[in-house]
Amino acid sequence: MAEFCLECFNKINETNYSKYDCVMSSDLCFCEECNEIKKVVIRIRRTFIDVLLEYLIN
């Protein structure tokens, strides 16, 4: 799986996530876009609304 730092992740996906919106790696990893060693995005946090809608739909 590709690993991107938050800045590169936002640039590639045309989003504006903050570090609080994402689960970041606990250790430093190699960003495949900017070729620097930084914390990378593991996944996007699910909000309460996302969980509630998923529950109501299923």
Side-chain angles (χ1 to χ4, degrees), residues 5-7 9-10 16-25 39-48 50:
C5 66
L6 184 59
E7 294 82 18
F9 183 85
N10 281 330
N16 192 25
Y17 290 121
S18 70
K19 65 180 182 179
Y20 305 108
D21 298 326
C22 303
V23 176
M24 304 295 290
S25 63
K39 290 188 176 191
V40 296
V41 176
I42 303 296
R43 66 177 176 86
I44 305 301
R45 292 186 194 272
R46 294 171 57 194
T47 63
F48 175 73
D50 294 335

mmCIF file of all heavy atoms in Angstrom, residues 5-7 9-10 16-25 39-48 50:
data_model
loop_
_atom_site.group_PDB
_atom_site.id
_atom_site.type_symbol
_atom_site.label_atom_id
_atom_site.label_comp_id
_atom_site.label_asym_id
_atom_site.label_seq_id
_atom_site.Cartn_x
_atom_site.Cartn_y
_atom_site.Cartn_z
ATOM 1 N N CYS A 5 2.639 11.265 3.315
ATOM 2 C CA CYS A 5 2.510 12.179 4.446
ATOM 3 C C CYS A 5 1.207 12.970 4.266
ATOM 4 O O CYS A 5 0.582 12.934 3.204
ATOM 5 C CB CYS A 5 3.723 13.096 4.539
ATOM 6 S SG CYS A 5 3.910 14.251 3.163
ATOM 7 N N LEU A 6 0.808 13.674 5.286
ATOM 8 C CA LEU A 6 -0.469 14.382 5.248
ATOM 9 C C LEU A 6 -0.514 15.439 4.147
ATOM 10 O O LEU A 6 -1.522 15.580 3.450
ATOM 11 C CB LEU A 6 -0.752 15.010 6.612
ATOM 12 C CG LEU A 6 -2.086 15.716 6.766
ATOM 13 C CD1 LEU A 6 -3.235 14.745 6.500
ATOM 14 C CD2 LEU A 6 -2.206 16.321 8.150
ATOM 15 N N GLU A 7 0.571 16.165 3.967
ATOM 16 C CA GLU A 7 0.598 17.203 2.936
ATOM 17 C C GLU A 7 0.432 16.604 1.546
ATOM 18 O O GLU A 7 -0.354 17.092 0.727
ATOM 19 C CB GLU A 7 1.901 17.996 3.013
ATOM 20 C CG GLU A 7 2.047 18.815 4.273
ATOM 21 C CD GLU A 7 2.549 18.009 5.460
ATOM 22 O OE1 GLU A 7 3.112 16.904 5.268
ATOM 23 O OE2 GLU A 7 2.359 18.467 6.597
ATOM 24 N N PHE A 9 -0.823 13.622 0.837
ATOM 25 C CA PHE A 9 -2.135 12.989 0.784
ATOM 26 C C PHE A 9 -3.201 14.012 0.400
ATOM 27 O O PHE A 9 -4.037 13.759 -0.463
ATOM 28 C CB PHE A 9 -2.457 12.345 2.136
ATOM 29 C CG PHE A 9 -3.747 11.606 2.169
ATOM 30 C CD1 PHE A 9 -3.816 10.288 1.738
ATOM 31 C CD2 PHE A 9 -4.911 12.211 2.630
ATOM 32 C CE1 PHE A 9 -5.021 9.588 1.766
ATOM 33 C CE2 PHE A 9 -6.104 11.527 2.657
ATOM 34 C CZ PHE A 9 -6.162 10.214 2.221
ATOM 35 N N ASN A 10 -3.160 15.184 1.041
ATOM 36 C CA ASN A 10 -4.122 16.242 0.718
ATOM 37 C C ASN A 10 -3.945 16.738 -0.709
ATOM 38 O O ASN A 10 -4.921 17.007 -1.405
ATOM 39 C CB ASN A 10 -3.986 17.407 1.702
ATOM 40 C CG ASN A 10 -4.675 17.124 3.021
ATOM 41 O OD1 ASN A 10 -5.665 16.408 3.075
ATOM 42 N ND2 ASN A 10 -4.140 17.673 4.083
ATOM 43 N N ASN A 16 -8.538 18.648 2.371
ATOM 44 C CA ASN A 16 -7.948 19.576 3.327
ATOM 45 C C ASN A 16 -8.027 18.976 4.732
ATOM 46 O O ASN A 16 -8.483 19.630 5.665
ATOM 47 C CB ASN A 16 -8.666 20.925 3.267
ATOM 48 C CG ASN A 16 -7.920 21.999 4.015
ATOM 49 O OD1 ASN A 16 -6.711 21.913 4.195
ATOM 50 N ND2 ASN A 16 -8.637 23.008 4.459
ATOM 51 N N TYR A 17 -7.610 17.728 4.895
ATOM 52 C CA TYR A 17 -7.633 17.073 6.192
ATOM 53 C C TYR A 17 -6.551 17.644 7.097
ATOM 54 O O TYR A 17 -5.478 18.031 6.632
ATOM 55 C CB TYR A 17 -7.401 15.566 6.052
ATOM 56 C CG TYR A 17 -8.544 14.818 5.415
ATOM 57 C CD1 TYR A 17 -8.344 14.088 4.247
ATOM 58 C CD2 TYR A 17 -9.804 14.828 5.973
ATOM 59 C CE1 TYR A 17 -9.387 13.388 3.653
ATOM 60 C CE2 TYR A 17 -10.853 14.143 5.384
ATOM 61 C CZ TYR A 17 -10.636 13.421 4.234
ATOM 62 O OH TYR A 17 -11.663 12.745 3.662
ATOM 63 N N SER A 18 -6.836 17.684 8.387
ATOM 64 C CA SER A 18 -5.827 18.073 9.367
ATOM 65 C C SER A 18 -5.298 16.807 10.033
ATOM 66 O O SER A 18 -5.802 15.715 9.793
ATOM 67 C CB SER A 18 -6.428 19.000 10.422
ATOM 68 O OG SER A 18 -7.312 18.285 11.257
ATOM 69 N N LYS A 19 -4.303 16.962 10.881
ATOM 70 C CA LYS A 19 -3.747 15.792 11.553
ATOM 71 C C LYS A 19 -4.757 15.166 12.525
ATOM 72 O O LYS A 19 -4.618 14.014 12.894
ATOM 73 C CB LYS A 19 -2.457 16.143 12.286
ATOM 74 C CG LYS A 19 -2.628 17.113 13.424
ATOM 75 C CD LYS A 19 -1.296 17.399 14.071
ATOM 76 C CE LYS A 19 -1.480 18.333 15.257
ATOM 77 N NZ LYS A 19 -0.211 18.604 15.928
ATOM 78 N N TYR A 20 -5.791 15.927 12.891
ATOM 79 C CA TYR A 20 -6.826 15.407 13.783
ATOM 80 C C TYR A 20 -7.883 14.596 13.033
ATOM 81 O O TYR A 20 -8.619 13.838 13.641
ATOM 82 C CB TYR A 20 -7.485 16.551 14.550
ATOM 83 C CG TYR A 20 -6.485 17.386 15.305
ATOM 84 C CD1 TYR A 20 -6.155 18.659 14.887
ATOM 85 C CD2 TYR A 20 -5.822 16.869 16.419
ATOM 86 C CE1 TYR A 20 -5.214 19.420 15.565
ATOM 87 C CE2 TYR A 20 -4.884 17.609 17.100
ATOM 88 C CZ TYR A 20 -4.586 18.882 16.676
ATOM 89 O OH TYR A 20 -3.646 19.621 17.346
ATOM 90 N N ASP A 21 -7.963 14.765 11.732
ATOM 91 C CA ASP A 21 -8.921 14.029 10.904
ATOM 92 C C ASP A 21 -8.394 12.663 10.486
ATOM 93 O O ASP A 21 -9.145 11.850 9.969
ATOM 94 C CB ASP A 21 -9.263 14.815 9.634
ATOM 95 C CG ASP A 21 -9.922 16.145 9.943
ATOM 96 O OD1 ASP A 21 -10.671 16.201 10.942
ATOM 97 O OD2 ASP A 21 -9.682 17.114 9.198
ATOM 98 N N CYS A 22 -7.098 12.428 10.681
ATOM 99 C CA CYS A 22 -6.452 11.213 10.202
ATOM 100 C C CYS A 22 -5.800 10.457 11.345
ATOM 101 O O CYS A 22 -5.404 11.043 12.341
ATOM 102 C CB CYS A 22 -5.361 11.560 9.195
ATOM 103 S SG CYS A 22 -5.946 12.500 7.795
ATOM 104 N N VAL A 23 -5.679 9.168 11.141
ATOM 105 C CA VAL A 23 -4.848 8.349 12.023
ATOM 106 C C VAL A 23 -3.482 8.312 11.369
ATOM 107 O O VAL A 23 -3.344 7.883 10.221
ATOM 108 C CB VAL A 23 -5.422 6.929 12.176
ATOM 109 C CG1 VAL A 23 -4.501 6.069 13.016
ATOM 110 C CG2 VAL A 23 -6.821 6.979 12.775
ATOM 111 N N MET A 24 -2.491 8.817 12.091
ATOM 112 C CA MET A 24 -1.138 8.910 11.564
ATOM 113 C C MET A 24 -0.285 7.784 12.131
ATOM 114 O O MET A 24 -0.573 7.240 13.195
ATOM 115 C CB MET A 24 -0.513 10.265 11.922
ATOM 116 C CG MET A 24 -1.313 11.465 11.466
ATOM 117 S SD MET A 24 -1.431 11.632 9.693
ATOM 118 C CE MET A 24 0.233 12.078 9.292
ATOM 119 N N SER A 25 0.780 7.435 11.438
ATOM 120 C CA SER A 25 1.690 6.392 11.912
ATOM 121 C C SER A 25 2.387 6.874 13.179
ATOM 122 O O SER A 25 2.620 8.073 13.361
ATOM 123 C CB SER A 25 2.718 6.052 10.838
ATOM 124 O OG SER A 25 3.513 7.177 10.555
ATOM 125 N N LYS A 39 5.795 11.187 9.354
ATOM 126 C CA LYS A 39 4.666 10.346 9.730
ATOM 127 C C LYS A 39 3.720 10.299 8.542
ATOM 128 O O LYS A 39 3.520 11.296 7.852
ATOM 129 C CB LYS A 39 3.958 10.910 10.956
ATOM 130 C CG LYS A 39 4.786 10.785 12.209
ATOM 131 C CD LYS A 39 3.997 11.166 13.423
ATOM 132 C CE LYS A 39 4.846 10.919 14.657
ATOM 133 N NZ LYS A 39 4.075 11.025 15.877
ATOM 134 N N VAL A 40 3.148 9.135 8.299
ATOM 135 C CA VAL A 40 2.273 8.970 7.138
ATOM 136 C C VAL A 40 0.843 8.699 7.587
ATOM 137 O O VAL A 40 0.589 8.312 8.724
ATOM 138 C CB VAL A 40 2.772 7.833 6.217
ATOM 139 C CG1 VAL A 40 4.125 8.178 5.630
ATOM 140 C CG2 VAL A 40 2.834 6.519 6.956
ATOM 141 N N VAL A 41 -0.088 8.900 6.678
ATOM 142 C CA VAL A 41 -1.512 8.688 6.941
ATOM 143 C C VAL A 41 -1.792 7.190 6.904
ATOM 144 O O VAL A 41 -1.467 6.508 5.936
ATOM 145 C CB VAL A 41 -2.380 9.425 5.905
ATOM 146 C CG1 VAL A 41 -3.853 9.118 6.115
ATOM 147 C CG2 VAL A 41 -2.122 10.915 5.952
ATOM 148 N N ILE A 42 -2.402 6.684 7.968
ATOM 149 C CA ILE A 42 -2.824 5.288 8.028
ATOM 150 C C ILE A 42 -4.253 5.159 7.499
ATOM 151 O O ILE A 42 -4.551 4.327 6.653
ATOM 152 C CB ILE A 42 -2.751 4.734 9.463
ATOM 153 C CG1 ILE A 42 -1.342 4.863 10.029
ATOM 154 C CG2 ILE A 42 -3.248 3.308 9.524
ATOM 155 C CD1 ILE A 42 -0.304 4.056 9.303
ATOM 156 N N ARG A 43 -5.144 6.011 8.011
ATOM 157 C CA ARG A 43 -6.526 6.022 7.538
ATOM 158 C C ARG A 43 -7.190 7.320 7.983
ATOM 159 O O ARG A 43 -6.667 8.043 8.814
ATOM 160 C CB ARG A 43 -7.315 4.821 8.051
ATOM 161 C CG ARG A 43 -7.533 4.800 9.544
ATOM 162 C CD ARG A 43 -8.399 3.615 9.976
ATOM 163 N NE ARG A 43 -8.523 3.563 11.406
ATOM 164 C CZ ARG A 43 -9.442 4.231 12.113
ATOM 165 N NH1 ARG A 43 -10.306 4.995 11.508
ATOM 166 N NH2 ARG A 43 -9.483 4.126 13.423
ATOM 167 N N ILE A 44 -8.355 7.594 7.429
ATOM 168 C CA ILE A 44 -9.153 8.757 7.810
ATOM 169 C C ILE A 44 -10.069 8.342 8.953
ATOM 170 O O ILE A 44 -10.674 7.268 8.914
ATOM 171 C CB ILE A 44 -9.995 9.269 6.620
ATOM 172 C CG1 ILE A 44 -9.107 9.557 5.419
ATOM 173 C CG2 ILE A 44 -10.803 10.492 6.998
ATOM 174 C CD1 ILE A 44 -8.034 10.579 5.663
ATOM 175 N N ARG A 45 -10.151 9.201 9.970
ATOM 176 C CA ARG A 45 -11.033 8.895 11.108
ATOM 177 C C ARG A 45 -12.493 8.943 10.675
ATOM 178 O O ARG A 45 -12.894 9.788 9.871
ATOM 179 C CB ARG A 45 -10.838 9.904 12.234
ATOM 180 C CG ARG A 45 -9.521 9.818 12.909
ATOM 181 C CD ARG A 45 -9.495 10.767 14.095
ATOM 182 N NE ARG A 45 -8.151 10.947 14.572
ATOM 183 C CZ ARG A 45 -7.565 10.167 15.470
ATOM 184 N NH1 ARG A 45 -8.234 9.162 15.977
ATOM 185 N NH2 ARG A 45 -6.338 10.388 15.843
ATOM 186 N N ARG A 46 -13.268 8.047 11.216
ATOM 187 C CA ARG A 46 -14.701 8.041 10.948
ATOM 188 C C ARG A 46 -15.387 8.934 11.969
ATOM 189 O O ARG A 46 -15.137 8.835 13.158
ATOM 190 C CB ARG A 46 -15.247 6.623 11.035
ATOM 191 C CG ARG A 46 -14.700 5.735 9.946
ATOM 192 C CD ARG A 46 -15.044 4.303 10.134
ATOM 193 N NE ARG A 46 -16.471 4.111 10.220
ATOM 194 C CZ ARG A 46 -17.047 2.989 10.657
ATOM 195 N NH1 ARG A 46 -16.301 1.986 11.024
ATOM 196 N NH2 ARG A 46 -18.336 2.876 10.703
ATOM 197 N N THR A 47 -16.261 9.797 11.516
ATOM 198 C CA THR A 47 -16.998 10.669 12.423
ATOM 199 C C THR A 47 -18.229 9.941 12.948
ATOM 200 O O THR A 47 -18.629 8.887 12.429
ATOM 201 C CB THR A 47 -17.444 11.957 11.709
ATOM 202 O OG1 THR A 47 -18.349 11.606 10.665
ATOM 203 C CG2 THR A 47 -16.248 12.713 11.163
ATOM 204 N N PHE A 48 -18.846 10.502 13.959
ATOM 205 C CA PHE A 48 -20.050 9.916 14.527
ATOM 206 C C PHE A 48 -21.154 9.813 13.474
ATOM 207 O O PHE A 48 -21.872 8.824 13.402
ATOM 208 C CB PHE A 48 -20.535 10.753 15.719
ATOM 209 C CG PHE A 48 -21.839 10.288 16.278
ATOM 210 C CD1 PHE A 48 -21.904 9.121 17.026
ATOM 211 C CD2 PHE A 48 -23.001 10.987 16.030
ATOM 212 C CE1 PHE A 48 -23.117 8.678 17.533
ATOM 213 C CE2 PHE A 48 -24.210 10.551 16.526
ATOM 214 C CZ PHE A 48 -24.268 9.392 17.290
ATOM 215 N N ASP A 50 -20.799 9.450 10.238
ATOM 216 C CA ASP A 50 -20.476 8.341 9.335
ATOM 217 C C ASP A 50 -20.906 7.006 9.935
ATOM 218 O O ASP A 50 -21.494 6.164 9.253
ATOM 219 C CB ASP A 50 -18.974 8.288 9.046
ATOM 220 C CG ASP A 50 -18.498 9.485 8.272
ATOM 221 O OD1 ASP A 50 -19.315 10.098 7.563
ATOM 222 O OD2 ASP A 50 -17.299 9.799 8.382
#
